[in-house]
Amino acid sequence: MTSIGANSGMVDWNLAVATATRLVRPGPEVSRDEARAVVAELRRHAKSSEEHVRGFTRMGTEETHDTPLLVVDRPGWVRANVAGFRELLKPLLEKMQERRGGGAGNAVLGAVGGKVTGVELGMLLSFLSSRVLGQYETFAPATRELPAGANGGGRLLLVAPNIVHVERELDVEPHDFRLWVTLHEETHRTQFTAVPWLRDHLEGEIQSFLAETDVDPMTVLERVREAAQSLAGGRPEAEEDDGGRSLVELVQTPAQREVLGRLTAVMSLLEGHADFVMDGVGPAVVPSVGEIREKFQQRRAKGASRLDMALRKLLGLDAKLRQYRDGERFVRAVVDECGMDGFNRVWTSPNTLPTKSEIAKPADWIARVHRKPEA
């Protein structure tokens, strides 16, 4: 494995990877032959999902799907996300480093703090790595381990051990569940490959958000530390009385709240659209889709434990669950009113993306984007 980067600065990224890899829980027990069969089947389903998703959404062509598919284990997911985080957070971390200042004492504190933060970030990633089924990772630079498409963009990750774990936990038909999951993740790949401006728009919004961050570095690190302590069982009770604060909520200025509103809207759109497509395609190709959806929704809603719920609050994952629900309602309402082609006007430009208020009131988006010009 190539190095993720220099270890100087606010975060020791290589230590984050090493810590997460060491702490990550083992996946479900499978034989070597079974593991190979799961990987092969996920690849087949991902390929067939391309055609299903393109046909249903009327987005993209075979030529636009040039981004690679990577079936990974939990450490592989960690490495991909650390590479993406490192790229996205580089401007913020450089700003925090400058604020801390130079000098021998600060250099020592920076080195120690970077290692501490690396360990704590690794703890968080080890927790998350056992919960993610798939992801379209778009921000990490292309490397031999993380190839990207010929025209840039990202790569589709399917986390095989987590998919097997959940299908067993839900007691659903494995082949149906694997196809159902790939339909969702393939929709995300279609969104980014068929809408060329989407990745740069998202990155621009995230960088605008980070550029407005004006907090003491130790305050941010303390919130990371609280999350890591929750993982160790140190604060689950306290977090319940924490008002539901998340790491994202910590760093909001008025300008950031505006950016966060736009980011929340577009993430709600992307997640809700993937759920809508997954359920729209599902009945034709996934015989047990009704049972899978019901059991999966129950699993999403309840979480695994009180500690899991505390972490979801701290990391803002409760907001992600709302994004699935609110976004799916928006997409369904617009498609019902305007048809799929009418809905697809959402991908025309950043100006046609729904606002946060329009996600809640689809009729307002329809009136704005589909309004007839005055005679």
Side-chain angles (χ1 to χ4, degrees), residues 226-314:
E226 288 177 6
Q229 288 170 347
S230 290
L231 284 177
R235 295 193 45 174
E237 296 291 340
E239 293 302 339
E240 291 187 357
D241 299 322
D242 198 26
R245 289 187 301 164
S246 71
L247 291 168
V248 169
E249 290 169 337
L250 172 75
V251 291
Q252 286 186 58
T253 65
Q256 280 180 311
R257 280 191 287 273
E258 291 185 14
V259 178
L260 188 61
R262 295 194 298 269
L263 279 170
T264 299
V266 71
M267 295 309 296
S268 297
L269 171 69
L270 297 179
E271 297 294 359
H273 183 236
D275 266 11
F276 177 78
V277 173
M278 181 169 59
D279 287 347
V281 175
V285 297
V286 182
S288 59
V289 65
E291 177 191 2
I292 291 173
R293 165 55 80 185
E294 181 179 358
K295 290 183 175 181
F296 195 76
Q297 289 286 61
Q298 291 172 355
R299 181 181 185 273
R300 262 186 189 169
K302 70 180 182 181
S305 65
R306 292 176 66 206
L307 177 59
D308 188 58
M309 293 175 69
L311 261 294
R312 281 176 14 181
K313 276 189 177 181
L314 187 63

Coordinates of all heavy atoms in Angstrom, one line a residue, residues 226-314:
E226 N -14.6 13.3 22.1 CA -15.9 12.8 22.7 C -16.5 11.7 21.9 O -17.0 10.7 22.5 CB -16.9 14.0 22.8 CG -16.5 15.1 23.8 CD -17.5 16.2 23.8 OE1 -18.5 16.1 23.0 OE2 -17.2 17.2 24.5
A227 N -16.4 11.8 20.6 CA -17.0 10.7 19.8 C -16.2 9.4 20.1 O -16.8 8.3 20.2 CB -16.9 11.0 18.3
A228 N -14.9 9.5 20.1 CA -14.0 8.3 20.4 C -14.3 7.7 21.8 O -14.4 6.5 21.9 CB -12.6 8.7 20.2
Q229 N -14.5 8.6 22.7 CA -14.8 8.1 24.1 C -16.2 7.4 24.1 O -16.3 6.4 24.9 CB -14.8 9.3 25.1 CG -13.4 9.8 25.4 CD -13.4 11.1 26.1 OE1 -14.5 11.8 26.3 NE2 -12.2 11.5 26.6
S230 N -17.1 7.9 23.3 CA -18.4 7.2 23.3 C -18.2 5.8 22.7 O -18.8 4.8 23.2 CB -19.3 7.9 22.3 OG -19.7 9.1 22.9
L231 N -17.3 5.6 21.8 CA -17.0 4.3 21.2 C -16.5 3.4 22.3 O -16.7 2.2 22.3 CB -16.0 4.4 20.1 CG -16.6 4.9 18.7 CD1 -15.5 5.0 17.7 CD2 -17.7 4.0 18.2
A232 N -15.7 3.9 23.2 CA -15.1 3.1 24.2 C -16.0 2.9 25.4 O -15.6 2.3 26.4 CB -13.8 3.8 24.7
G233 N -17.2 3.4 25.3 CA -18.2 3.2 26.4 C -18.1 4.2 27.5 O -18.7 4.0 28.5
G234 N -17.4 5.3 27.2 CA -17.1 6.3 28.3 C -18.3 7.2 28.5 O -18.4 7.8 29.6
R235 N -19.1 7.5 27.5 CA -20.0 8.6 27.7 C -21.4 8.4 27.1 O -22.1 9.3 26.8 CB -19.5 9.9 27.0 CG -18.3 10.5 27.6 CD -18.0 11.8 27.1 NE -19.3 12.6 27.1 CZ -19.4 13.9 26.8 NH1 -18.3 14.6 26.4 NH2 -20.6 14.5 26.8
P236 N -21.9 7.1 26.9 CA -23.2 6.9 26.3 C -24.3 7.6 27.0 O -25.2 8.1 26.4 CB -23.3 5.4 26.3 CG -22.4 4.9 27.3 CD -21.3 5.9 27.3
E237 N -24.3 7.6 28.3 CA -25.4 8.3 29.1 C -25.3 9.8 28.9 O -26.4 10.4 28.7 CB -25.2 7.9 30.6 CG -25.4 6.5 30.9 CD -26.8 6.0 30.7 OE1 -27.7 6.8 30.6 OE2 -27.0 4.8 30.5
A238 N -24.2 10.4 28.9 CA -24.1 11.8 28.8 C -24.5 12.3 27.5 O -25.2 13.3 27.4 CB -22.6 12.3 29.1
E239 N -24.3 11.5 26.4 CA -24.6 12.0 25.1 C -26.1 12.1 24.9 O -26.6 12.9 24.1 CB -24.1 11.0 24.1 CG -22.6 11.0 24.0 CD -22.0 12.3 23.6 OE1 -22.7 13.2 23.1 OE2 -20.8 12.5 23.9
E240 N -26.9 11.3 25.7 CA -28.3 11.4 25.6 C -28.9 12.8 26.0 O -29.9 13.2 25.6 CB -29.0 10.3 26.4 CG -28.8 8.9 25.8 CD -29.6 7.9 26.5 OE1 -30.2 8.2 27.5 OE2 -29.5 6.7 26.1
D241 N -28.1 13.4 26.9 CA -28.5 14.8 27.4 C -27.7 15.9 26.7 O -27.7 17.0 27.1 CB -28.3 14.8 28.9 CG -29.1 13.8 29.6 OD1 -30.2 13.6 29.3 OD2 -28.6 13.3 30.6
D242 N -27.1 15.6 25.6 CA -26.2 16.5 24.9 C -27.0 17.4 23.9 O -26.3 18.1 23.2 CB -25.1 15.7 24.2 CG -23.9 16.6 23.8 OD1 -23.7 17.6 24.5 OD2 -23.2 16.3 22.9
G243 N -28.3 17.3 23.9 CA -29.0 18.1 22.9 C -28.9 17.7 21.5 O -29.3 18.4 20.6
G244 N -28.3 16.5 21.2 CA -28.2 16.0 19.9 C -27.2 16.8 19.1 O -27.2 16.8 17.9
R245 N -26.2 17.4 19.7 CA -25.1 18.1 19.0 C -24.3 17.1 18.1 O -24.0 16.0 18.6 CB -24.2 18.9 19.9 CG -24.8 20.0 20.6 CD -23.7 20.8 21.4 NE -23.1 19.9 22.4 CZ -22.0 20.2 23.0 NH1 -21.3 21.3 22.7 NH2 -21.5 19.4 23.9
S246 N -24.0 17.6 17.0 CA -23.1 16.8 16.1 C -21.8 17.5 15.8 O -21.7 18.7 16.1 CB -23.8 16.4 14.8 OG -23.9 17.5 14.0
L247 N -20.9 16.8 15.2 CA -19.6 17.4 14.9 C -19.9 18.5 13.8 O -19.2 19.6 13.8 CB -18.7 16.4 14.3 CG -18.1 15.4 15.3 CD1 -17.5 14.2 14.5 CD2 -17.2 16.0 16.3
V248 N -20.8 18.3 12.9 CA -21.1 19.3 11.9 C -21.7 20.6 12.5 O -21.3 21.7 12.2 CB -22.1 18.7 10.9 CG1 -22.6 19.8 9.9 CG2 -21.4 17.7 10.0
E249 N -22.6 20.4 13.5 CA -23.3 21.5 14.1 C -22.3 22.4 14.9 O -22.6 23.6 15.1 CB -24.4 21.0 15.1 CG -25.6 20.4 14.3 CD -26.5 19.7 15.3 OE1 -26.1 19.3 16.3 OE2 -27.7 19.6 14.9
L250 N -21.2 21.8 15.3 CA -20.2 22.6 16.1 C -19.7 23.8 15.3 O -19.4 24.8 15.9 CB -19.1 21.7 16.5 CG -17.9 22.3 17.2 CD1 -18.2 22.7 18.6 CD2 -16.7 21.4 17.2
V251 N -19.4 23.6 14.0 CA -18.6 24.6 13.3 C -19.5 25.5 12.4 O -19.0 25.8 11.3 CB -17.5 23.8 12.5 CG1 -16.5 23.3 13.4 CG2 -18.2 22.8 11.6
Q252 N -20.7 25.8 12.8 CA -21.5 26.6 11.9 C -21.5 28.1 12.3 O -21.7 28.5 13.4 CB -23.0 26.1 12.1 CG -23.2 24.8 11.4 CD -24.7 24.5 11.4 OE1 -25.6 25.3 11.0 NE2 -25.0 23.4 12.0
T253 N -21.2 28.9 11.3 CA -21.4 30.3 11.3 C -22.6 30.6 10.5 O -23.2 29.7 9.9 CB -20.2 31.1 10.6 OG1 -20.2 30.7 9.3 CG2 -18.9 30.7 11.3
P254 N -23.2 31.8 10.5 CA -24.3 32.1 9.7 C -24.1 31.7 8.2 O -25.0 31.2 7.6 CB -24.6 33.6 9.9 CG -24.0 33.9 11.2 CD -22.9 33.0 11.4
A255 N -22.9 32.0 7.7 CA -22.7 31.7 6.3 C -22.6 30.2 6.1 O -23.1 29.6 5.1 CB -21.3 32.3 5.8
Q256 N -22.1 29.5 7.1 CA -22.0 28.0 7.0 C -23.4 27.4 7.1 O -23.7 26.4 6.4 CB -21.2 27.4 8.2 CG -19.7 27.5 7.9 CD -19.0 26.9 9.1 OE1 -19.2 27.2 10.3 NE2 -18.0 26.0 8.8
R257 N -24.3 28.0 7.8 CA -25.7 27.5 7.9 C -26.3 27.5 6.5 O -27.1 26.6 6.2 CB -26.5 28.2 9.0 CG -26.2 27.7 10.4 CD -27.2 28.3 11.4 NE -27.0 29.7 11.6 CZ -26.2 30.2 12.6 NH1 -25.4 29.3 13.3 NH2 -26.0 31.5 12.8
E258 N -26.1 28.6 5.8 CA -26.6 28.7 4.4 C -26.1 27.6 3.6 O -26.8 26.9 2.8 CB -26.3 30.0 3.8 CG -27.0 31.2 4.5 CD -26.8 32.5 3.7 OE1 -26.2 32.4 2.6 OE2 -27.1 33.6 4.3
V259 N -24.7 27.4 3.6 CA -24.1 26.3 2.8 C -24.6 25.0 3.2 O -25.0 24.1 2.4 CB -22.6 26.4 2.9 CG1 -22.0 25.2 2.1 CG2 -22.1 27.7 2.4
L260 N -24.7 24.8 4.6 CA -25.2 23.5 5.1 C -26.6 23.2 4.6 O -27.0 22.0 4.3 CB -25.1 23.4 6.6 CG -25.4 22.1 7.2 CD1 -24.3 21.0 6.8 CD2 -25.3 22.2 8.8
G261 N -27.4 24.2 4.6 CA -28.8 24.0 4.1 C -28.8 23.5 2.6 O -29.6 22.6 2.3
R262 N -27.9 24.1 1.8 CA -27.9 23.6 0.4 C -27.3 22.2 0.3 O -27.8 21.4 -0.5 CB -27.0 24.6 -0.4 CG -27.6 26.0 -0.5 CD -26.9 26.8 -1.6 NE -25.5 27.0 -1.4 CZ -25.0 28.1 -0.7 NH1 -25.8 29.0 -0.2 NH2 -23.6 28.2 -0.6
L263 N -26.3 21.9 1.1 CA -25.7 20.6 1.1 C -26.7 19.5 1.6 O -26.8 18.5 1.1 CB -24.5 20.5 2.0 CG -23.2 21.0 1.4 CD1 -22.1 21.1 2.5 CD2 -22.7 20.1 0.3
T264 N -27.5 19.9 2.6 CA -28.5 19.0 3.1 C -29.6 18.7 2.1 O -30.0 17.6 1.9 CB -29.2 19.6 4.4 OG1 -28.3 19.8 5.4 CG2 -30.3 18.7 4.9
A265 N -29.9 19.7 1.3 CA -30.9 19.6 0.2 C -30.4 18.6 -0.8 O -31.1 17.7 -1.3 CB -31.3 20.9 -0.3
V266 N -29.2 18.8 -1.3 CA -28.6 18.0 -2.4 C -28.4 16.6 -1.9 O -28.7 15.6 -2.6 CB -27.4 18.6 -3.0 CG1 -26.2 18.5 -2.1 CG2 -27.1 18.0 -4.4
M267 N -27.9 16.4 -0.7 CA -27.8 15.0 -0.2 C -29.1 14.3 0.0 O -29.2 13.1 -0.2 CB -27.0 15.1 1.2 CG -25.6 15.6 1.0 SD -24.6 14.7 -0.3 CE -24.6 13.1 0.3
S268 N -30.1 15.1 0.4 CA -31.5 14.5 0.5 C -31.9 14.1 -0.9 O -32.6 13.0 -1.0 CB -32.4 15.5 1.1 OG -32.1 15.8 2.4
L269 N -31.7 14.9 -1.9 CA -32.1 14.5 -3.2 C -31.3 13.3 -3.7 O -32.0 12.3 -4.2 CB -31.7 15.7 -4.2 CG -31.8 15.4 -5.7 CD1 -33.3 15.2 -6.0 CD2 -31.2 16.5 -6.5
L270 N -30.0 13.2 -3.5 CA -29.3 12.0 -4.0 C -29.7 10.8 -3.2 O -29.8 9.7 -3.9 CB -27.8 12.3 -3.7 CG -27.2 13.5 -4.5 CD1 -25.7 13.6 -4.2 CD2 -27.4 13.3 -6.0
E271 N -29.8 10.8 -1.9 CA -30.2 9.6 -1.2 C -31.6 9.2 -1.5 O -31.9 8.0 -1.6 CB -30.0 9.8 0.3 CG -28.5 10.1 0.7 CD -27.6 8.9 0.5 OE1 -28.1 7.8 0.1 OE2 -26.4 9.0 0.8
G272 N -32.5 10.2 -1.5 CA -33.9 9.9 -1.8 C -34.1 9.3 -3.2 O -34.9 8.4 -3.4
H273 N -33.4 9.9 -4.1 CA -33.5 9.4 -5.5 C -33.0 7.9 -5.6 O -33.6 7.1 -6.3 CB -32.6 10.3 -6.4 CG -32.7 9.9 -7.8 ND1 -31.5 9.7 -8.6 CD2 -33.7 9.8 -8.7 CE1 -31.9 9.4 -9.8 NE2 -33.2 9.5 -9.9
A274 N -31.9 7.6 -4.9 CA -31.4 6.2 -4.9 C -32.4 5.3 -4.3 O -32.6 4.2 -4.8 CB -30.1 6.2 -4.1
D275 N -33.1 5.7 -3.2 CA -34.1 4.9 -2.6 C -35.3 4.7 -3.5 O -35.9 3.6 -3.6 CB -34.6 5.4 -1.2 CG -33.8 4.9 0.0 OD1 -32.8 4.2 -0.3 OD2 -34.3 5.1 1.1
F276 N -35.7 5.8 -4.2 CA -36.8 5.7 -5.1 C -36.5 4.8 -6.2 O -37.4 3.9 -6.6 CB -37.1 7.1 -5.6 CG -38.2 7.2 -6.6 CD1 -39.5 7.1 -6.3 CD2 -37.9 7.3 -8.0 CE1 -40.6 7.2 -7.2 CE2 -38.9 7.4 -8.9 CZ -40.2 7.3 -8.5
V277 N -35.3 4.9 -6.8 CA -35.0 4.0 -7.9 C -34.9 2.6 -7.5 O -35.3 1.6 -8.1 CB -33.6 4.5 -8.5 CG1 -33.1 3.5 -9.6 CG2 -33.8 5.8 -9.1
M278 N -34.3 2.3 -6.3 CA -34.1 1.0 -5.8 C -35.5 0.3 -5.6 O -35.7 -0.9 -6.0 CB -33.4 1.1 -4.4 CG -33.2 -0.3 -3.7 SD -32.0 0.0 -2.3 CE -32.9 1.1 -1.3
D279 N -36.5 1.1 -5.1 CA -37.8 0.5 -5.0 C -38.6 0.4 -6.3 O -39.4 -0.4 -6.5 CB -38.6 1.3 -3.9 CG -38.1 1.1 -2.5 OD1 -37.3 0.1 -2.3 OD2 -38.5 1.9 -1.6
G280 N -38.3 1.4 -7.2 CA -39.0 1.4 -8.5 C -38.5 0.2 -9.4 O -39.4 -0.4 -10.0
V281 N -37.2 -0.1 -9.4 CA -36.7 -1.2 -10.2 C -37.0 -2.5 -9.5 O -37.2 -3.5 -10.1 CB -35.2 -1.0 -10.4 CG1 -34.6 -2.2 -11.2 CG2 -35.0 0.3 -11.2
G282 N -36.9 -2.5 -8.2 CA -36.9 -3.7 -7.4 C -38.0 -4.7 -7.7 O -37.7 -5.9 -8.0
P283 N -39.3 -4.3 -7.8 CA -40.3 -5.3 -8.0 C -40.2 -6.1 -9.3 O -40.6 -7.3 -9.4 CB -41.6 -4.5 -8.1 CG -41.3 -3.3 -7.2 CD -39.8 -3.0 -7.5
A284 N -39.5 -5.6 -10.3 CA -39.3 -6.3 -11.6 C -38.2 -7.3 -11.5 O -38.2 -8.2 -12.3 CB -39.1 -5.3 -12.7
V285 N -37.2 -7.0 -10.7 CA -36.0 -7.9 -10.7 C -35.6 -8.5 -9.4 O -34.8 -9.4 -9.3 CB -34.8 -7.1 -11.2 CG1 -35.0 -6.6 -12.7 CG2 -34.5 -5.9 -10.3
V286 N -36.3 -8.0 -8.3 CA -36.0 -8.6 -6.9 C -37.3 -9.2 -6.4 O -38.1 -8.4 -5.8 CB -35.4 -7.5 -6.0 CG1 -35.1 -8.1 -4.6 CG2 -34.2 -6.8 -6.6
P287 N -37.5 -10.5 -6.5 CA -38.8 -11.0 -6.1 C -39.2 -10.7 -4.6 O -40.4 -10.5 -4.4 CB -38.5 -12.5 -6.3 CG -37.5 -12.6 -7.3 CD -36.6 -11.4 -7.1
S288 N -38.2 -10.7 -3.7 CA -38.6 -10.5 -2.3 C -38.4 -9.0 -1.8 O -38.1 -8.8 -0.7 CB -37.8 -11.4 -1.4 OG -36.4 -11.2 -1.6
V289 N -38.5 -8.1 -2.8 CA -38.2 -6.7 -2.4 C -39.1 -6.2 -1.3 O -38.6 -5.4 -0.5 CB -38.3 -5.8 -3.7 CG1 -39.7 -5.7 -4.2 CG2 -37.8 -4.4 -3.4
G290 N -40.3 -6.6 -1.3 CA -41.2 -6.1 -0.2 C -40.7 -6.5 1.2 O -40.7 -5.6 2.1
E291 N -40.4 -7.7 1.4 CA -39.8 -8.2 2.6 C -38.5 -7.5 3.0 O -38.3 -7.1 4.1 CB -39.6 -9.7 2.6 CG -39.0 -10.3 3.9 CD -38.6 -11.7 3.7 OE1 -38.7 -12.3 2.6 OE2 -38.1 -12.3 4.7
I292 N -37.6 -7.4 2.0 CA -36.3 -6.7 2.2 C -36.5 -5.3 2.7 O -35.9 -4.8 3.7 CB -35.5 -6.8 1.0 CG1 -35.0 -8.2 0.7 CG2 -34.2 -5.9 1.1 CD1 -34.3 -8.4 -0.6
R293 N -37.4 -4.5 2.0 CA -37.6 -3.1 2.3 C -38.1 -3.0 3.7 O -37.7 -2.1 4.5 CB -38.5 -2.5 1.3 CG -39.1 -1.1 1.7 CD -38.1 -0.1 2.1 NE -37.5 0.5 1.0 CZ -36.5 1.4 1.1 NH1 -35.9 1.6 2.2 NH2 -36.0 2.0 0.0
E294 N -39.1 -3.8 4.1 CA -39.7 -3.7 5.4 C -38.7 -4.0 6.5 O -38.6 -3.2 7.5 CB -40.9 -4.7 5.5 CG -41.6 -4.6 6.9 CD -42.8 -5.5 6.9 OE1 -43.1 -6.2 5.9 OE2 -43.4 -5.6 8.0
K295 N -38.0 -5.0 6.4 CA -37.0 -5.4 7.4 C -35.8 -4.4 7.5 O -35.4 -4.0 8.5 CB -36.4 -6.8 7.1 CG -37.4 -7.9 7.4 CD -36.8 -9.3 7.2 CE -37.8 -10.4 7.5 NZ -37.2 -11.7 7.4
F296 N -35.4 -3.9 6.3 CA -34.3 -2.9 6.3 C -34.7 -1.6 6.9 O -34.0 -1.0 7.6 CB -33.9 -2.7 4.8 CG -32.5 -2.0 4.7 CD1 -31.4 -2.7 5.0 CD2 -32.4 -0.7 4.3 CE1 -30.1 -2.1 4.9 CE2 -31.2 -0.1 4.2 CZ -30.0 -0.8 4.5
Q297 N -36.0 -1.1 6.6 CA -36.5 0.1 7.2 C -36.5 0.0 8.7 O -36.2 0.9 9.4 CB -37.8 0.5 6.7 CG -37.8 0.9 5.2 CD -37.3 2.3 5.0 OE1 -36.1 2.6 5.3 NE2 -38.1 3.2 4.5
Q298 N -36.9 -1.2 9.2 CA -37.0 -1.4 10.7 C -35.6 -1.3 11.3 O -35.3 -0.7 12.3 CB -37.6 -2.7 11.0 CG -39.1 -2.8 10.7 CD -39.7 -4.2 10.9 OE1 -38.9 -5.1 11.1 NE2 -41.0 -4.3 10.7
R299 N -34.6 -1.9 10.6 CA -33.2 -1.9 11.0 C -32.7 -0.4 11.0 O -32.0 0.0 12.0 CB -32.4 -2.8 10.1 CG -30.9 -2.8 10.5 CD -30.1 -3.7 9.6 NE -28.8 -3.9 10.0 CZ -27.8 -3.1 9.7 NH1 -28.0 -2.1 8.9 NH2 -26.5 -3.4 10.1
R300 N -33.0 0.3 10.0 CA -32.5 1.7 9.9 C -33.0 2.5 11.1 O -32.4 3.3 11.7 CB -33.0 2.4 8.6 CG -32.0 2.4 7.5 CD -32.7 3.2 6.3 NE -31.9 3.1 5.1 CZ -32.3 3.5 3.9 NH1 -33.5 4.0 3.8 NH2 -31.5 3.5 2.9
A301 N -34.3 2.3 11.4 CA -35.0 3.2 12.3 C -34.5 2.9 13.8 O -34.3 3.9 14.5 CB -36.5 3.0 12.2
K302 N -34.3 1.7 14.1 CA -34.0 1.4 15.5 C -32.5 1.5 15.9 O -32.2 1.7 17.1 CB -34.6 0.0 15.9 CG -33.8 -1.1 15.3 CD -34.5 -2.5 15.7 CE -33.7 -3.7 15.1 NZ -34.3 -4.9 15.5
G303 N -31.6 1.3 14.9 CA -30.2 1.3 15.3 C -29.9 0.0 16.0 O -30.8 -0.8 16.4
A304 N -28.6 -0.2 16.3 CA -28.2 -1.5 16.9 C -28.3 -1.5 18.4 O -28.4 -2.5 19.0 CB -26.8 -1.8 16.4
S305 N -28.1 -0.3 19.0 CA -28.0 -0.2 20.5 C -28.1 1.2 20.9 O -28.1 2.1 20.1 CB -26.7 -0.8 21.0 OG -25.6 0.0 20.6
R306 N -28.2 1.4 22.3 CA -28.2 2.8 22.8 C -26.9 3.5 22.4 O -26.9 4.7 22.1 CB -28.4 2.8 24.3 CG -29.8 2.3 24.7 CD -29.9 2.2 26.2 NE -29.8 3.5 26.8 CZ -29.3 3.8 28.1 NH1 -28.9 2.8 28.8 NH2 -29.3 5.0 28.5
L307 N -25.8 2.8 22.5 CA -24.5 3.4 22.1 C -24.5 3.8 20.7 O -24.0 4.8 20.3 CB -23.4 2.4 22.5 CG -22.0 2.9 22.1 CD1 -21.6 4.2 22.8 CD2 -20.9 1.8 22.4
D308 N -25.0 2.9 19.8 CA -25.1 3.2 18.4 C -25.9 4.4 18.2 O -25.6 5.3 17.3 CB -25.7 2.0 17.7 CG -25.7 2.1 16.2 OD1 -24.6 2.3 15.7 OD2 -26.7 2.1 15.5
M309 N -27.0 4.6 18.9 CA -27.9 5.8 18.7 C -27.1 7.0 19.2 O -27.3 8.1 18.6 CB -29.2 5.6 19.5 CG -30.1 4.5 18.9 SD -31.6 4.2 19.9 CE -32.5 5.7 19.7
A310 N -26.4 6.9 20.3 CA -25.6 8.1 20.7 C -24.6 8.5 19.7 O -24.4 9.7 19.4 CB -24.9 7.7 22.0
L311 N -23.9 7.5 19.1 CA -22.9 7.8 18.0 C -23.6 8.4 16.8 O -23.1 9.3 16.2 CB -22.2 6.6 17.6 CG -20.8 6.4 18.3 CD1 -19.8 7.5 17.8 CD2 -20.9 6.4 19.8
R312 N -24.8 7.9 16.5 CA -25.5 8.5 15.3 C -25.8 9.9 15.5 O -25.7 10.8 14.6 CB -26.8 7.7 15.1 CG -26.5 6.4 14.4 CD -27.7 5.5 14.1 NE -29.0 6.1 14.3 CZ -30.1 5.4 14.2 NH1 -30.1 4.1 13.8 NH2 -31.3 5.9 14.4
K313 N -26.2 10.3 16.7 CA -26.4 11.7 17.0 C -25.2 12.5 16.9 O -25.1 13.6 16.3 CB -27.0 11.9 18.5 CG -28.5 11.7 18.6 CD -29.0 12.0 20.0 CE -30.5 11.9 20.1 NZ -31.0 12.3 21.4
L314 N -24.1 12.1 17.5 CA -22.9 12.8 17.6 C -22.3 13.0 16.2 O -21.8 14.1 15.8 CB -21.8 12.1 18.5 CG -20.5 12.8 18.7 CD1 -20.8 14.1 19.5 CD2 -19.6 12.0 19.5

